[in-house]
Amino acid sequence: MKRIVILGAGTAGTIMANHLNHEIDKESWEIDVIDHRQEHYYQPGYLFLPFDIYEPEDIVKHIKDFIPKGVNLINDKAEKILAGEKKVLMQNGDLIHYDILIIATGCNIAPEEVEGMNGKEWRNSVFDFYTFEGSLALRDKLRKWEGGKLVVHITEMPIKCPVAPLEFSFLADSYFKNKKMRDKVDITYVTPLSGAFTKPKATETLSHLLVEKNINQVNDFGIKKVDNENKKIIDYEGREVSFDLLVTVPTNKGDALIERSGLGDDLNFVPTNKATLQSLEHPDIFVLGDATNIPASKAGSVTHFEAEILTENILRYVKGEPLKEEFDGHANCFLETGNGKALLIDFNYTHEPVEGTFPFPGIGPLRLLKESRMNHMGKLAFRWIYWHMLLKGTHIPFVSTTMQMEGKHF
Amino acid sequence: MEKIISGKTINVNEEGYLTGFSQWDKTIATEIAKEEGITELGPRHWQIIDYLQDQHKKEIPLSIRKIGKSGVVDIEEFYALFPQGPLKKATKIAGLPKPASCI
Ligand SMILES: Cc1cc2nc3c(=O)[nH]c(=O)nc-3n(C[C@H](O)[C@H](O)[C@H](O)COP(=O)(O)OP(=O)(O)OC[C@H]3O[C@@H](n4cnc5c(N)ncnc54)[C@H](O)[C@@H]3O)c2cc1C
């Protein structure tokens, strides 16, 4: 018996377990999935939790409910990958041999990377919404907050779901309007980028929305430290932004396991071939989801497209065939703009998000890069699709793995 | 798209990054620097430009964090030399593509 080990049972690991369970010859292959957690978190829900749009139970389920029969779930933390020996050392001391390893350990926030960020104001007036605990603590804070300066901040790129901080700002605007206290809140969006988003056309649309919603923008802000005493963030050029409530997205890093195993770059992301998803260093290691260093968005939708191509490549690898260089960086994200509306953006490595129709060229029904209620329904439906289709590896109807060019206004 | 800098025609993308390094030279660097609000490139600027070009040649992805740890320049000085978005400015001046860490 040969063995495929999947490290991590989040979005990527769960989809791969389901795909491989269908596709691989079970007479000769065993599939193991390793995760120390019991719960699977629907991370896109962290955006809605602070505003009382979702409840915690909407976004947390048991990992084991999504791992198919026929796949072994090992409930322990991986300590170290011994790539030379094809083994994974577990926290309990077990050594697990693999023939193929799939790294799907995701990424996490690392507030300790910035001086003062997790100082005495952490979860007091400095919050994150990229963790379940952070998002929940922020909900409790917002419920009783009486207003003042709200600063929404990105520390450095890359971060998962790079549009989430913008969405947070838009939803905050709606939230305070609904609470009839928007006049008591001053919202500022602070980013290390030169504009609202990373790609020019979407930046134009999004900057316009920021202005329309009366959200101030501070660009090119390379944070040096959080001053807890005076409640300010300060950048390397000495610029200061003061806050009463800071909602920051700290540096995102791959799991410390990657660092211990000597497999990552300086942010613990694993150097990966961006078209095949094979590790650049070890041919028997494959990587997908937020754990890679590829220049695509770190998003569940991207992970879903990656998984379809990776499954095919693993089948090819097993047969000794050349890998398909097919992944194009395809991302397809709904972006909440507040007041029950959303935008939809669709892009890849080479094509930035543009206007058009989706998924049917010329028809839609979804409009790209335009605010609509239909897109908002799409975003809310994504949670259902996530739990019932995406994790199970079901192909989502009409949505192609690589990006489609028709119906788009380049 | 084409652009004329000190009498030479060069090709740049819509954000002003050179599309091919072969067209780069020091005069072009100096002119792009002026457009970016850096009136004069001193020895420290050139050292950093050299370093970035060398890293790029070795296909090592560039990030502010890595440059800060390189021993060539610390983050504070990097910002002082290339204010407001040092990496995206320095790479543009050095004739390199916009780094993925700025995307
Ligand atoms: C606020 C927010 C909003 C988002 N919104 C969207 C959205 O609207 N649309 C979208 O497509 N995406 C969105 N995302 C991104 C999406 O959630 C992630 O891209 C996706 O979950 C990545 O999947 P992954 O499997 O790579 O990582 P994860 O799902 O994070 O899974 C990693 C797993 O690995 C396990 N693990 C890590 N280290 C070890 C170890 N040493 N031993 C054992 N197990 C380990 C962890 O316990 C975890 O279960 C959002 C993310 C956030 C934070």
Side-chain angles (χ1 to χ4, degrees), chain A residues 145-163:
Chain A
W145 195 51
E146 286 171 1
K149 290 191 202 106
L150 168 65
V151 173
V152 182
H153 167 252
I154 301 176
T155 301
E156 64 180 302
M157 301 303 280
I159 56 170
K160 43 187 161 185
C161 198
V163 292

Side-chain angles (χ1 to χ4, degrees), chain B residues 64-96:
Chain B
I64 292 194
R65 155 186 296 275
K66 217 174 277 175
I67 291 161
K69 285 183 187 163
S70 66
V72 177
V73 61
D74 64 28
I75 299 183
E76 210 130 25
E77 191 192 358
F78 193 31
Y79 269 91
L81 291 166
F82 300 92
Q84 292 171 21
L87 186 58
K88 72 176 195 251
K89 277 196 183 172
T91 47
K92 194 187 268 187
I93 296 167
L96 306 173

Side-chain angles (χ1 to χ4, degrees), chain A residues 8-13 34-37 43-44 46 76-78 104-106 129-130 160-161 164 255 257 289-290 298-301 303 379 382:
Chain A
T11 313
I34 295 172
D35 204 303
H36 56 285
R37 292 196 197 169
Q43 298 175 42
Y46 299 167
D76 190 23
K77 198 172 190 132
T105 41
F129 68 100
Y130 267 49
K160 43 187 161 185
C161 198
D255 196 82
L257 156 80
D290 296 347
K298 295 189 183 302
S301 66
T303 303
K379 175 102 183 179
F382 186 64

